[in-house]
Amino acid sequence: MANIVLVGAQWGDEGKGKIIDFLTEKSDYVVRFQGGSNAGHTVRVGAERFVLHQIPSGIIRNHIICVIANGVVLDPEELIHEIGNLKKRKIRVDGRLFVSDQAHVIMPYHKLFDRLAEQENEKRKIGTTQRGIGPCYADKAARLGIRVGDFLDIPVFKQRLKQVLDAKNKVLKFIYRHPTLSYTDILKRCLAYRKRLLGYTRNTPQLLHDAVHKRKRILLEGAQGTFLDVDHGTYPYVTSSNSSVGGAITGTGMGLRDVHKVIGVVKAYTTRVGEGPFPTEMEPAMLRKVRDWGEEFGATTGRPRRCGWFDAVLTRQAARVNGLDSIAVTKLDVLDNLKEIKICTTYKYHGRTLRDLPSHVEVLKQCRPVFRTVKGWHSSTSQITKFRDLPKLAQQYLRVLEKLVETPIEIVSVGSSRSQTIVL
Ligand code: GDP
Ligand code: IMO
Ligand code: MG
């Protein structure tokens, strides 16, 4: 059985949680490999709705082992809260969730620096989730990070925290003119987290190597989306990790040969949260309708999502960057009421036609979308379970996307429930 990487192929919130939950029926392990509590993955089971932030969406199915791998930045406070919430809802977590000792820890000062950086300069604002993601990955790269494994040896941890906090307090005091943080308070909090998290901590690359050896079926769950990737996204309007396929390798320690398939999740239209260019963004009246029908509000911050038409230039780039084997198209039902639907096929940049995504954000900001307008099917798709039963115009719409993205469609989602899923 294949090990699969599932990534978002737009700007996040493509419906990865729903598709992961669907695929986990035939998986043994689900692994988060990057990002942190900035993610919000929604899974609907019957009348129940779960929003997962750091714990892999596989936790909802009792037979799955869930791994938070080394590439994730872990917020211990949030994780304890998330575990508690799942337990309250009768989801078994202990013995099924393992956290990498190599994962970096989001410390209270990371969240503070995230907030201060965003407040500092309105023009440079990214619109982050303020979960401390950027500052934590920055410390990882600067070799100033604290890892989950550092909690194990208390004297070593105390020394490390002292060194790092001294450096952070200097920045707080002299750059931000902000009150410094107390070593004793942070240490106390960390020792409490330590107690709660020790039982979940593992050498996860080794755990995954064993799983590969035993031919377990592993699903690697991407967070965010390809265009929020720090290398391949619309930099600097990105998150601070590799949310495209490469992150699945460095973020888990699995070998390239141990991954057999890459699936990209795309919405039948496009959304984005936070700042940054968005060539196909809808005009306000249409945006409000689609936001309303698609319930486009952030699963983590509750912010209204920006909505736009399907952008084939963007998604074709995602297919290439990730080497997608197939795509899962979600939220087709959200377009059910439209008489006409637009698809962006190319961009115009100062009179020139661009078929490929420009690499520089300043160029992208000046690109205008070139749309192909197709007729809407104007009927409900949410109860349909077979591709051939979809209205002909909906089938045609999907076939156009497939052709433009140069990747076969494997799954179509027509609602948030498990049963509202069509496999091609
Ligand atoms: P993720 O971050 O990629 O997991 O996506 P989110 O969970 O943040 O946002 C996707 C939202 O769309 C969630 O509220 C899902 O329940 C919902 N959703 C997923 N697939 C479909 C679908 O096919 N149709 C509709 N109407 N909603 C969907
Ligand atoms: P899921 O996994 C949508 C966006 C933020 C901001 C930028 C940087 O649910 O798809 P960060 O807090 O990561 O430093 O913010 O990235 N962003 C997301 N947008 N879905 C997400 O996750 C996101 N995670 C971060 O809005 O623009
Ligand atoms: Mg989300």
Side-chain angles (χ1 to χ4, degrees):
M1 174 63 198
N3 296 331
I4 300 171
V5 182
L6 182 138
V7 292
Q10 293 158 329
W11 276 294
D13 300 326
E14 295 91 347
K16 297 177 292 294
K18 144 129 198 195
I19 302 297
I20 290 278
D21 174 65
F22 180 76
L23 293 172
T24 45
E25 200 178 355
K26 292 185 181 145
S27 309
D28 302 304
Y29 283 65
V30 181
V31 186
R32 269 288 302 275
F33 56 83
Q34 45 70 231
S37 64
N38 49 349
H41 296 177
T42 316
V43 177
R44 231 186 83 190
V45 187
E48 286 212 80
R49 183 171 168 272
F50 298 88
V51 180
L52 285 315
H53 297 287
Q54 299 185 93
I55 298 181
S57 305
I59 201 77
I60 307 304
R61 297 205 196 236
N62 199 29
H63 71 280
I64 301 280
I65 299 290
C66 289
V67 178
I68 298 180
N70 56 282
V72 170
V73 285
L74 187 90
D75 185 331
E77 194 174 356
E78 289 289 326
L79 183 69
I80 290 163
H81 188 66
E82 213 173 329
I83 292 172
N85 276 341
L86 287 170
K87 286 184 174 172
K88 259 191 240 153
R89 298 175 72 178
K90 305 276 180 269
I91 304 281
R92 189 167 64 84
V93 178
D94 296 353
R96 294 182 54 219
L97 174 69
F98 300 105
V99 177
S100 179
D101 58 0
Q102 289 168 273
H104 280 249
V105 180
I106 296 194
M107 301 292 283
Y109 47 79
H110 290 135
K111 291 191 220 178
L112 178 58
F113 280 119
D114 199 352
R115 220 177 53 231
L116 292 172
E118 287 280 279
Q119 282 167 1
E120 195 193 11
N121 189 336
E122 190 58 31
K123 278 198 190 132
R124 268 196 322 168
K125 201 173 142 198
I126 305 293
T128 75
T129 59
Q130 306 203 2
R131 295 294 195 271
I133 306 295
C136 187
Y137 277 116
D139 275 359
K140 175 177 175 173
R143 291 158 296 188
L144 265 182
I146 291 182
R147 310 205 296 183
V148 171
D150 294 334
F151 280 151
L152 300 178
D153 184 329
I154 295 179
V156 172
F157 174 72
K158 283 182 172 169
Q159 200 183 15
R160 180 80 180 150
L161 178 64
K162 184 112 199 44
Q163 280 170 353
V164 176
L165 195 61
D166 279 350
K168 297 294 161 195
N169 273 337
K170 276 189 197 137
V171 180
L172 275 180
K173 188 170 169 187
F174 297 113
I175 307 287
Y176 286 106
R177 315 260 171 227
H178 189 280
T180 56
L181 299 175
S182 147
Y183 168 77
T184 326
D185 282 356
I186 296 186
L187 179 66
K188 204 168 130 202
R189 281 163 76 174
C190 287
L191 293 179
Y193 303 149
R194 176 184 188 274
K195 228 178 176 168
R196 301 285 296 272
L197 293 182
L198 271 185
Y200 297 101
T201 307
R202 290 290 184 284
N203 176 342
T204 57
Q206 197 169 69
L207 185 147
L208 291 170
H209 297 159
D210 288 347
V212 167
H213 188 70
K214 289 181 189 147
R215 298 189 162 278
K216 297 290 183 192
R217 299 162 300 178
I218 305 171
L219 187 51
L220 301 165
E221 172 177 349
Q224 288 80 52
T226 302
F227 300 100
L228 290 173
D229 183 292
V230 68
D231 282 279
H232 299 288
T234 46
Y235 193 89
Y237 303 100
V238 293
T239 190
S240 301
S241 64
N242 286 118
S243 46
S244 61
V245 71
I249 301 299
T250 53
T252 59
M254 280 172 68
L256 200 52
R257 267 193 309 230
D258 300 325
V259 170
H260 310 114
K261 186 173 179 182
V262 187
I263 302 178
V265 187
V266 294
K267 271 180 193 164
Y269 49 100
T270 313
T271 62
R272 165 160 218 174
V273 197
E275 307 300 319
F278 186 173
T280 64
E281 192 161 14
M282 292 163 173
E283 35 78 35
M286 181 57 73
L287 188 153
R288 274 195 298 274
K289 277 192 205 169
V290 171
R291 182 184 285 155
D292 196 30
W293 294 331
E295 297 175 72
E296 296 295 358
F297 294 90
T300 298
T301 57
R303 289 179 291 175
R305 294 174 183 150
R306 299 158 67 190
C307 300
W309 301 104
F310 189 87
D311 185 339
V313 179
L314 195 80
T315 317
R316 191 163 52 236
Q317 173 78 355
R320 291 173 186 168
V321 164
N322 294 296
L324 296 184
D325 291 293
S326 66
I327 51 177
V329 180
T330 62
K331 303 192 103 163
L332 185 74
D333 56 296
V334 175
L335 306 181
D336 282 352
N337 293 326
L338 292 173
K339 287 205 178 86
E340 283 186 336
I341 303 171
K342 292 186 195 179
I343 305 166
C344 169
T345 55
T346 52
Y347 297 151
K348 273 272 184 232
Y349 174 67
H350 293 306
R352 270 174 42 219
T353 299
L354 303 187
R355 206 181 121 71
D356 296 317
L357 190 72
S359 53
H360 200 278
V361 80
E362 294 306 321
V363 176
L364 186 62
K365 277 180 186 170
Q366 294 171 52
C367 283
R368 298 289 160 260
V370 176
F371 288 118
R372 180 190 299 180
T373 302
V374 298
K375 266 173 98 174
W377 43 95
H378 218 245
S379 63
S380 173
T381 55
S382 61
Q383 302 305 318
I384 295 174
T385 54
K386 292 196 178 71
F387 185 79
R388 63 166 184 271
D389 295 337
L390 283 170
K392 281 283 165 296
L393 287 169
Q395 293 186 25
Q396 277 171 25
Y397 179 71
L398 292 168
R399 291 302 181 202
V400 171
L401 301 195
E402 190 172 57
K403 198 156 174 227
L404 289 170
V405 177
E406 298 168 353
T407 311
I409 295 175
E410 181 174 353
I411 297 171
V412 176
S413 173
V414 291
S416 52
S417 304
R418 283 175 182 166
S419 61
Q420 292 171 300
T421 314
I422 301 171
V423 179
L424 273 74

